[in-house]
Structures are given as C-alpha cells and as structure tokens.
Amino acid sequence: VEVGTFSTVAESVEPAWHTVALPEGTRSVDLKPLSGAVRLFGETFRTGGRGVVYDSLGLNGASTTVLSNGFNAAAWTEELRHEKPTLVIINYGTNESGFGSYVDKYYEPSLRTAIKRIKAALPGVPILVMSPMDRGLRTGVDEIQTYDTIPRIVAIERRVAAEQGCAFFDTFDAMGGDGTMARWYTGHPRLVAGDLIHPTPQGAAMVAQLLVRDLMTGYEQYLERQHLQHHPEVVVPGVKPVVAAPVVKPRLAVVPSGKPKPSAMGEPLKQATPPVADPVTPDAPPVTPDAPKQAAPAVVPPGAPQPQPQPRSPESF
C-alpha cells in the first residue's frame, strides 16, 4: 500500500526531513526513488509514545577522526540540532587501540576536537565519554592478555572529559579491568567472540546494564540535589526529602491558683493539708505547727511496675 510520495528537489544541497504517518500494524516499509538519485541519510520509526530514543552513529572500523574531521560540520550541526538530544555519548577507543603510536600522539587532540564540535553544535547539552571495553591479545596458545593501549586510552579519555566538563564512564573498569576478555572467552557461557573484541549478546547486555545502572544512579543523585537546593517544597518520587527537625520551645505550665501543680512524672501532687495541732493535755506540752509538709515522692521497690505518666489536663497548659 502506497502511503505517500514527496519531492527532494531543492536549489541547494542541505539536510531535510519528511514525516509520513504509517497505518497501524505496519511491519515493513519500502522506500523507492521514482526518478533520479536520492541521498538518504537514514530513517527513524517512532510510535509517538513516551520513552527513550537511542540514535546510534556507529560505523564499522570508525575512530574519533570521524567526529573530529570526517563529518561535514555544517550538515552534522544541523542534524544534531534537529534531533534535540538530551545526552550525547562518545564511545571510541577500541579501533584505535591497535595503533600504539597513534594513541600516544594523536588520540587526545582528536578526542578534544570531537567534543568541541559537539559542544558548538549543541550548547548546554551534556556529553558522556564512554571508555572502550577491554580488548584481548593472544600471546600464546592458551594465553590472552589485555592490550597495553587500553589503559592508556582510558586515562586519556578520563583526563579530556574532566577538562571539557563531560561525564565519564569507565567501561573497562566496570566490566572487570585487566584480563576481562580472557575470563569472558574461557568462561561459560562465553561472553566475547573469538576476536576478543566484540561481546556476545549476553556480554553486551552485561555492559549495557552496567552503564544504565550508573546513569540512573547519577540521575537520582541529580534529582536529589535539585530537590534540596531549588525546590524544597516539591516531593520528588523516590527521593526522601531531608526536613530539619522543628525547634521545640520549652513551655511553662500555668497552673490556676487553687489547683495542684503537676509533678515530674506528670501526676498532680496532692494538695498539702495544713497540720492540725494535737489537743493540749495537762501532761504534754503544746505542739508548735511546723512548716507545711509536701507529699514525698513514691518509692517503688526494685522489680515492681513503675508508675506511668498520666496525660495532663488541658487546663494546665
């Protein structure tokens, strides 16, 4: 079923986009030029619902020079801005690891240039530099070791990312560091192909989980910082707000005259009764009344139930 045609004729060569609504349930799509030649950069299929759009620019055998020198700067800038990404991930280094002299002399400036081009095209958009995975080198019949250039590349990427204000994910360290591909190749199930570079689907899933876990941890920490610094009145899902304990001022109990004062245990003391003088008899001297006596605190023997505080009367507050 034909769903639409459109013309690509223009006065100048420049990137352009065209959207076609597909019938519900579409499973395959064919694109055919009706005349002439058309340069097609790619297609994207979206449902219109909420979610994550992952757009990969991976090229077989590519290196950072593709970003720093390969792409047409004006066209790539326009395409990046059209997509409006919220995060750009730069993941290079594996293909460069086979050329030690290139790594030591040219990898750092090439990576720096690539980052600057992306920052110029997308001001303010965060960039994450993702280091290469481990890469195995066969040194004997049953011996596999890590390429010595991999740790050097990781160090360069970490340094440049910090310098350019980018995030950095150390894939090499997260997956196990030195000797990981040897363990992945000899393990069961095997997690890397025989080239000791490309992971199997199980190995790729493990790396993806490590990346997503750290991304979500960083995102949750970001939400918490924003919540505490800028929006203390907004409750962020999954973030427990830190609320300062209220300052409790001591209250003075005002007891109306004629009412017993509360004791420390919360129980009112009994009203003291003025002592009554004993009757004077011929054989006994008169008794002089002493000062009014206060009720003594109750003495509870060890092991006996302790008296419990009683709620105060509202009149005592």
Side-chain angles (χ1 to χ4, degrees):
V1 178
E2 184 176 299
V3 295
T5 60
F6 57 93
S7 174
T8 61
V9 175
E11 295 182 358
S12 60
V13 178
E14 59 186 14
W17 293 264
H18 183 79
T19 301
V20 176
L22 299 176
E24 185 176 356
T26 300
R27 292 290 180 267
S28 62
V29 174
D30 291 329
L31 299 176
K32 298 178 181 180
L34 298 179
S35 62
V38 176
R39 177 177 293 181
L40 179 66
F41 288 99
E43 318 91 21
T44 59
F45 297 89
R46 304 184 184 182
T47 62
R50 299 182 62 183
V52 175
V53 176
Y54 173 74
D55 194 348
S56 174
L57 293 177
L59 299 173
N60 290 337
S63 66
T64 50
T65 56
V66 172
L67 302 185
S68 60
N69 302 313
F71 289 147
N72 179 288
W76 193 40
T77 295
E78 191 172 351
E79 292 165 358
L80 286 174
R81 291 177 179 175
H82 175 80
E83 292 300 325
K84 298 181 177 63
T86 53
L87 175 66
V88 177
I89 300 177
I90 299 176
N91 179 207
Y92 284 92
T94 299
N95 292 327
E96 294 91 336
S97 64
F99 307 94
S101 60
Y102 172 85
V103 170
D104 296 333
K105 296 179 181 179
Y106 304 110
Y107 185 72
E108 182 168 341
S110 178
L111 176 62
R112 186 178 291 108
T113 300
I115 293 175
K116 289 181 177 179
R117 290 184 69 177
I118 295 173
K119 293 174 71 173
L122 301 169
V125 175
I127 299 173
L128 168 65
V129 178
M130 183 177 179
S131 87
M133 297 183 294
D134 183 30
R135 180 177 179 178
L137 174 66
R138 298 182 187 276
T139 57
V141 177
D142 295 320
E143 295 181 4
I144 301 173
Q145 67 181 27
T146 293
Y147 264 73
D148 59 5
T149 50
I150 292 293
R152 305 209 301 269
I153 290 173
V154 172
I156 290 172
E157 292 182 344
R158 185 190 302 275
R159 180 170 60 253
V160 174
E163 168 200 301
Q164 295 295 318
C166 303
F168 176 72
F169 178 72
D170 191 343
T171 317
F172 175 66
D173 180 71
M175 67 187 298
D178 187 81
T180 296
M181 286 309 184
R183 296 188 294 271
W184 279 23
Y185 185 74
T186 58
H188 300 282
R190 182 171 291 176
L191 300 176
V192 65
D195 61 4
L196 306 178
I197 299 175
H198 297 92
T200 64
Q202 297 94 328
M206 291 178 61
V207 174
Q209 290 169 3
L210 292 170
L211 172 62
V212 172
R213 182 195 65 186
D214 275 23
L215 279 176
M216 293 308 300
T217 298
Y219 179 61
E220 291 170 359
Q221 292 173 349
Y222 164 79
L223 289 180
E224 185 173 0
R225 289 195 302 270
Q226 295 297 307
H227 172 70
L228 296 177
Q229 296 176 6
H230 304 293
H231 305 287
E233 73 284 358
V234 177
V235 177
V236 180
V239 177
K240 296 181 180 179
V242 179
V243 181
V247 178
V248 180
K249 297 182 179 180
R251 294 188 296 177
L252 178 64
V254 180
V255 182
S257 60
K259 291 187 176 290
K261 297 181 179 181
S263 68
M265 294 296 294
E267 299 176 340
L269 295 174
K270 294 182 180 181
Q271 187 78 15
T273 304
V276 180
D278 294 332
V280 179
T281 60
D283 299 329
V287 178
T288 303
D290 296 326
K293 298 179 180 180
Q294 297 291 333
V299 178
V300 181
Q306 298 291 328
Q308 299 298 319
Q310 300 297 324
R312 299 181 182 180
S313 169
E315 297 178 356
S316 65
F317 289 86

